[in-house]
Amino acid sequence: MKYNHKEIEPKWQRRWEERQIFRARDCSDKPKFYALVEFPYPSGAGMHVGHIKAYSGLEVISRKRRMQGYNVLFPIGFDAFGLPTENYAIRTGIHPRVATDENIKKFTSQLKRVGFSFDWSRTIDTTDEKYYKWTQWIFLKMFEHGLVFRDKALVNYCPSCKVVLSNEDSQGGKCDICHSNIVQKSKDVWYLRITEYADKLLEGLERVDYPPHIKQQQINWIGKSTGAFADFKLVGTDDSLRIYTTRPDTMFGATFMVIAPEHPIIEKHKDRIKNLDEVYAYREECAQKTEFERTQLVKEKTGVRIEGLEAQNPLSGRIIPVYIADYVMMGYGTGAIMAVPAHDERDYEFAKKFGIEIIEVIKGGDISKAPYTGEGEMVNSGFLNGIKTQKEAVAAAIRKLEELGVGCAGVQYKMKDWAFNRQRYWGEPIPIVHCPKCGMVPVPYDQLPLVLPPVDNFEPDEGGESLLAKIPEFVNCKCPRCGGDAKRETDTMPQWAGSSWYYLRYLDPHNDRVFADPDKLKYWLPVDWYNGGMEHVTRHMIYSRFWHKFLYDIGEVPCDEPYAKRTAQGLILGPDGEKMSKSKGNVVDPNDVIDEYGADVLRLYILFMGDYEKAAPWSESSVRGCKRFLDKVAALPEIAKGQGVTSALESKFHKTIKKVSLDIEEMKFNTAIAAMMTLLNDIYEHGSLTVDELKIFIKLLCPFAPHLTEEIWEQLGGKGFLSLAAWPEYDEAKTIDEQVEVAVQINGKLRGTIMLPLNCPRDEALELARADEKIAQMLEGAEIIKEILVPNRIINFVVKSK
RNA sequence: GCGGGUAUGGCGGAAUCGGAAGACGCGCCGGAUUUAGGAUCCGGUGGGAAACCGUACAGGUUCGACCCCUGUUACCCGCACCA
């Protein structure tokens, strides 16, 4: 009855590995299927059940595809650069290389215990110099094509990690890694010009199969807005102040301007500013605030009027005051705005506080009470008066600005250029040399990889420089261009670098001439199906789409989008319904589950617990339910006899094959498993099945529970591996019943059921329904107003009583 | 505030198109077996004595609504003074 998972699971894992049955063949004639899962960061804590869920979806689909005759590539690797390992080194003195190798070993053995059908011959490790050679190579290609630049900038600095963070890594003013408050610091920053690809990244979304909420998140992240730039002349100077607005139609209502505290116009015109001390003091005050305080905590508007600076509205000619206020950000648009209090909430609030005039230019609201942001007829707006739609008014205003030579249509993005350096040791060294004569010089391609030098002390400097800066042999070098003394860049790349192109390396992981052979790229790309977590659908996916599009533009990859289809699994919550975390003590260790119940049970339960794309809490007793199911499957050979089909089960088998086949494609694993459970119940109710039927059953179950089903397959004398056997086909005709049960309603309420032949003609069906004893009784004396028939489903009599 | 999502028995969740709400599993109840417990097997299980009532709440459309429309609430995720 019961099977011994501790024996059969390692046995089959061994055999699969010996025979290398999950190896993908490059450029074979079979149709290809490239399934990609997000490769793990090999942390010291080992894997948790969330990893298993993340891989199980495409694991099942890959296994089904193999049985369907596809040449499947389902690879795995390790994204191993990153702060946790370096922090571990700082704490323990254990070199990140050593810790990483150990963790990868641990992850590998855990993944193998689950029986995943990965192609282990293609494993990659982003910290392997043979891998990051090509990460550096792509960086240099970007450098060569002008997509890399360096700038002094206020950066987010984590005083605890002693590291510069990108905006993405410091959301909410907290360090993404240690959750300390971040501070602003001026630094030299390497940037990748991802904004140059903003439109391509947006436009590409129209041609890929991502669910709408994922596309929407990427669209929001890129944050494109259209509007206009306009120059406001500074009174008494030749200078002007350029603003960006999405609402040029409201320009006649601009009664003041606001500039960001860091705006350079202050320095430029400080001689004219009468209250310079006050302005400086305000600027200082703002600089003290973190991004978090500025954006999150401060609800009330603050600001200072700049005495002595006034600007002229280019359309209305009106002279208006200029304010400095921190509700305008230097990092978006031009760092200066025209304020239209009548039709903008923030400007309204500011105007109310500072007693600035509010001029209505769009009818429809009551601006004495609140700003009006809707549409309406233009008023008080010169040539715009009378226009009734925003679209028209915007176009007219832009036309006028262009005519006058004081503005133009413009586009802005929320997405900023990608800050691409970290003051850290455990990352890819940035392959650039600083030469006093030649400036920034790239390391020649033939000198890659630029290898991380060994170190033994991982304590970071107070100044926040990388450890590499303390290694003279690394820093001091000759300029590749002029041969003179030069210094190496000591910053490394962020953790996102290695994962931005890893799916390409799987195609040719051992190639040392190119990152991947063009024929192999052509055969395998694009990734057919990419699954991962929701937390990666913006940053990681946008970064890697950016790299891919760049490689496409320079002719290195054959398609412009890397991922044809993307899905995202939901979290596994703790038994208490909370997110699993060590501190809450609600973490489930997959090893424990495998020890007690086996890998097949673990896999089955994780896919059965609920909608794959939604979060669901762990339940140990439900795990036992899956164990019971597999025990009953293990006992099926005892009641299997004869060949061919069992007439009572034939239709049920065809229906189940159909349901399981279709559900797997939609990642509806829970209902696929439920269908197999139902069939199993039917089989036991019937008391027996044929050997042929049993073979079909274990084929359907094989992608979910491969060890047990291989074992049964062997018992039955099946040829070769079940994992490579042909997926069962169903006969559509046999999934259709000849007799159907039809519900009979009176006034929409269920009053009985009758059996009808399939596709019974309307008149006949209604006749039979009326003739039903129970229905006839209830219809007696009532007037039938209407008769509704939904073929093979329902009959509804609408009646008036009496 | 903006964008996206979710809400169904004691629990996880099912329900092509608007057509019998609660598939499947867990839990629970009863029975068999057992010295006992566990395991296993059989039966039952939304509420209600019943008429009926039930898919977050209030309306609407329809012969018929978990499903469509209007409004509301709660929770989750992402972004957030983006001009």
Side-chain angles (χ1 to χ4, degrees), chain A residues 381-440:
Chain A
S381 293
F383 67 97
L384 295 172
N385 282 340
I387 296 179
K388 292 204 174 60
T389 71
Q390 188 175 318
K391 199 176 159 196
E392 253 179 281
V394 166
I398 291 175
R399 229 177 299 127
K400 189 71 164 187
L401 287 170
E402 283 172 348
E403 210 175 289
L404 297 171
V406 290
C408 58
V411 172
Q412 284 292 306
Y413 303 92
K414 287 181 196 173
M415 184 171 71
K416 300 193 173 82
D417 281 322
W418 177 7
F420 197 70
N421 55 319
R422 303 288 183 270
Q423 282 69 39
R424 277 288 172 165
Y425 170 75
W426 195 231
E428 301 88 346
I430 292 177
I432 297 284
V433 169
H434 299 279
C435 171
K437 277 197 227 124
C438 312
M440 294 191 296

Side-chain angles (χ1 to χ4, degrees), chain A residues 630-645:
Chain A
L630 291 186
D631 282 340
K632 284 187 214 160
V633 172
L636 278 177
E638 295 166 22
I639 59 165
K641 46 186 184 254
Q643 308 295 314
V645 294

Side-chain angles (χ1 to χ4, degrees), chain A residues 8-9 12-13 16 113-115 599-600 705-711:
Chain A
I8 69 164
E9 289 182 350
W12 288 102
Q13 285 160 17
W16 294 331
R113 275 196 85 188
V114 183
D600 283 338
H707 309 88
L708 172 63
T709 50
E710 286 275 14
E711 182 71 17

